[in-house]
């Protein structure tokens, strides 16, 4: 997967999203993906509630302000990797 960029997004209603992002990023890194700065995002609703992300009327402000940075960082990294391929990969 050299030369490929990966990001992680987790949505849910329970704690553990940060650890899930970390575990997924480690696995992606282990198989060769390159991960951008701030390459993970997550949303966790209130514990013990039934509101899902897809049911929200609007995207919460912390998510709305984080995701564009994730997208920019991933796109810039992908463009860099495309322009500067790994000579050994």
């Amino acid at each position: 997967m050299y030369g490929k960029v990966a990001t992680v997004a987790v949505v849910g209603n329970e704690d553990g999203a940060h650890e899930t992002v970390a575990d997924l990023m480690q696995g992606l890194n282990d198989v060769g993906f390159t991960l951008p700065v701030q390459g993970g995002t997550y949303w966790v609703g209130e514990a013990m509630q039934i509101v899902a992300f897809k049911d929200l009327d609007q995207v919460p402000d912390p998510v709305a302000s984080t995701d564009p940075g994730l997208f920019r960082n991933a796109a810039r990294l992908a463009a860099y990797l495309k322009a500067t391929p790994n000579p050994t990969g």
Side-chain angles (χ1 to χ4, degrees), residues 6-8 20-30 33 35-36 38-41 70:
T7 63
V8 175
T20 300
V21 169
D23 290 344
L24 289 169
M25 288 183 135
Q26 182 63 53
L28 290 164
N29 180 264
D30 287 348
F33 282 95
L35 305 169
Q38 297 176 331
T41 185
L70 179 146

Side-chain angles (χ1 to χ4, degrees), residues 44-71:
V44 179
E46 294 181 48
M48 310 294 282
Q49 300 299 314
I50 60 171
V51 177
F53 186 83
K54 66 180 181 165
D55 298 329
L56 297 175
D57 292 331
Q58 64 183 36
V59 176
D61 287 339
V63 176
S65 65
T66 300
D67 288 352
L70 179 146
F71 303 143

